[in-house]
Amino acid sequence: MTPLMWAPDTWWSLFGHFLDLSLMSIGGAVTVAPEMHRLLVVQHHLLTDGQFTTAMALAQASPGPNVLFVGVLGFQV
């Protein structure tokens, strides 16, 4: 099943989870990266470990804020 074919409740669940994470990320987005890994790799199997690590490395190597990896993760999903 492609991600676009998921039920709307799945999309709302992901939205709610990332909204909660954004409220808890006092130390920056990287502080909640383990929880994002658990959600995207372990729980929903949307990414592999390698894809998650590559997204983190790419965003950290690029100029700009550290939160860029959230967009890269979304693009890879």
Side-chain angles (χ1 to χ4, degrees), residues 18 21-22 25 27-33 36 55-56 58-74:
F18 274 81
L21 288 177
S22 70
S25 62
V30 177
T31 60
V32 293
M36 290 180 188
M56 288 288 294
L58 180 65
Q60 293 298 314
S62 64
N66 286 341
V67 75
L68 287 176
F69 81 92
V70 176
V72 176
L73 288 174

Side-chain angles (χ1 to χ4, degrees), residues 41-52:
V41 176
V42 177
Q43 185 175 350
H44 289 289
H45 305 289
L46 296 173
L47 298 173
T48 64
D49 279 324
Q51 289 173 319
F52 188 88

Side-chain angles (χ1 to χ4, degrees), residues 3-33:
L4 295 177
M5 303 284 290
W6 290 348
D9 60 333
T10 304
W11 288 110
W12 284 112
S13 172
L14 286 173
F15 175 77
H17 195 79
F18 274 81
L19 180 65
D20 289 345
L21 288 177
S22 70
L23 296 174
M24 292 187 293
S25 62
I26 294 173
V30 177
T31 60
V32 293

